[in-house]
Amino acid sequence: MPTFTDDQATQYDSRITRLVPGYELLHQLTNAQLQATLKDNAHILVVGAGTGKEVIELANINPTWKFTAQDTSNDMLSVASDKFAEQGISDRVTVHCGPLEKLKTKADAALCLLVLQFVEDNGDKKQVLKNIKASLNKDAALYIADLMRPETLFERDAQLLTCAKLGLGEAGQTHIRHSLENEFYPLDRMRFSELLHECGFSTIPKLYFKALGFSGYVI
C-alpha cells in the first residue's frame, strides 16, 4: 500500500479534496450507512487510516464505537495520533503501523477508501483483500472506494477539469495526469467483482457512490 511521508502526510487533508470529486460526500454516505447498520460497541477497522479523518468523524457519531486505524506510513499515523489525542478518543483507537496480516483483530465493519487504487493487481490487491476478510467478523460489511478504469473516452479529462474547478493548479493537474497514467492501478467492474469473489466475499458489491472515475461499494 502507499506510504505517504513528510509533507505528503502533513498536507494530505488539504490536497485530497482537490483531487477526488465528491470526497466529502463519499465519507458522508459511508458514515451514514455505518450509523444505520452498526450497534453500540461496534469495532471498525479503517484500512489506510492516514491522518485519521474517518476515525474522528465516526467517533463523533457514536461514543461507544472502537477502532483499529491501520496504515503503513508512520508519518501519517503520527498526525492521526495527535488528532486522536486532541479529540480525546485515543483510548478508543488502536493504531497499527504495518501490514494488515499482522493484525489479530475481528471487526464488525471495515473501511478501505482510496487505498487499493495504489496497489498492483499482481497478487498484491488480492492479498490486501484477503487480509481484510480475515479481520472481519461473520456478516461484517466492507466499504471500499477506489479510482476505477474509465468507462468513457473523456472521463479522465472530465476529472482533471473538475479538479481544476476544485482549486487544483496547473502544476497539480500536470502531476495528477502523470499519476493517473503511471502510479494508479484501477480495475474495471468485472475484474473488481472477480477479485472480491476470489478473496471469499460472497456478496455482490453494491454501488453507493459514483463521481466520474471514483466509485464506492459496500460488500
Side-chain angles (χ1 to χ4, degrees):
M1 285 188 284
T3 299
F4 295 99
T5 58
D6 301 325
D7 288 346
Q8 291 178 313
T10 57
Q11 298 176 12
Y12 180 85
D13 288 340
S14 63
R15 290 189 303 108
I16 192 65
T17 55
R18 300 195 297 270
L19 299 176
V20 180
Y23 179 78
E24 295 293 347
L25 179 60
L26 167 63
H27 285 83
Q28 290 168 7
L29 297 177
T30 304
N31 295 350
Q33 292 177 91
L34 289 167
Q35 187 175 10
T37 57
L38 292 183
K39 299 178 181 179
D40 287 348
N41 301 305
H43 185 172
I44 302 170
L45 167 63
V46 181
V47 179
T51 59
K53 172 186 172 64
E54 295 147 339
V55 171
I56 291 169
E57 289 184 353
L58 291 169
N60 288 330
I61 288 174
N62 189 309
T64 73
W65 288 349
K66 293 181 173 59
F67 307 89
T68 295
Q70 179 274 340
D71 207 292
T72 56
S73 170
N74 187 64
D75 288 351
M76 293 279 269
L77 287 179
S78 178
V79 174
S81 295
D82 289 343
K83 291 183 178 181
F84 299 155
E86 291 172 5
Q87 295 289 321
I89 62 171
S90 297
D91 61 333
R92 296 164 56 192
V93 186
T94 298
V95 175
H96 175 77
C97 185
L100 281 166
E101 57 261 32
K102 300 292 185 180
L103 284 177
K104 302 298 181 184
T105 190
K106 285 290 185 180
D108 301 303
L111 276 61
C112 185
L113 305 182
L114 308 175
V115 175
L116 274 187
Q117 60 200 24
F118 296 105
V119 181
E120 287 192 69
D121 188 20
N122 59 358
D124 291 347
K125 281 187 194 288
K126 182 184 291 188
Q127 190 59 55
V128 172
L129 287 168
K130 282 185 173 180
N131 289 335
I132 294 174
K133 179 66 174 175
S135 299
L136 291 175
N137 286 319
K138 184 180 179 182
D139 299 326
L142 167 62
Y143 294 85
I144 185 167
D146 267 315
L147 179 73
M148 305 295 285
R149 283 189 182 170
E151 297 185 5
T152 65
L153 294 176
F154 50 83
E155 188 172 76
R156 291 290 187 256
D157 289 334
Q159 276 184 252
L160 291 166
L161 288 170
T162 302
C163 289
K165 291 183 181 296
L166 291 173
L168 188 67
E170 290 187 11
Q173 292 173 52
T174 299
H175 176 74
I176 195 62
R177 184 181 292 277
H178 177 270
S179 296
L180 286 169
E181 295 174 355
N182 299 281
E183 297 176 13
F184 291 83
Y185 304 94
L187 303 174
D188 59 32
R189 285 182 289 175
M190 183 175 295
R191 175 57 185 152
F192 178 63
S193 295
E194 179 184 64
L195 192 58
L196 289 168
H197 180 73
E198 291 173 2
C199 296
F201 291 94
S202 57
T203 305
I204 297 173
K206 299 174 182 65
L207 182 72
Y208 72 89
F209 171 85
K210 183 78 171 75
L212 294 174
F214 294 93
S215 297
Y217 297 88
V218 58
I219 301 104

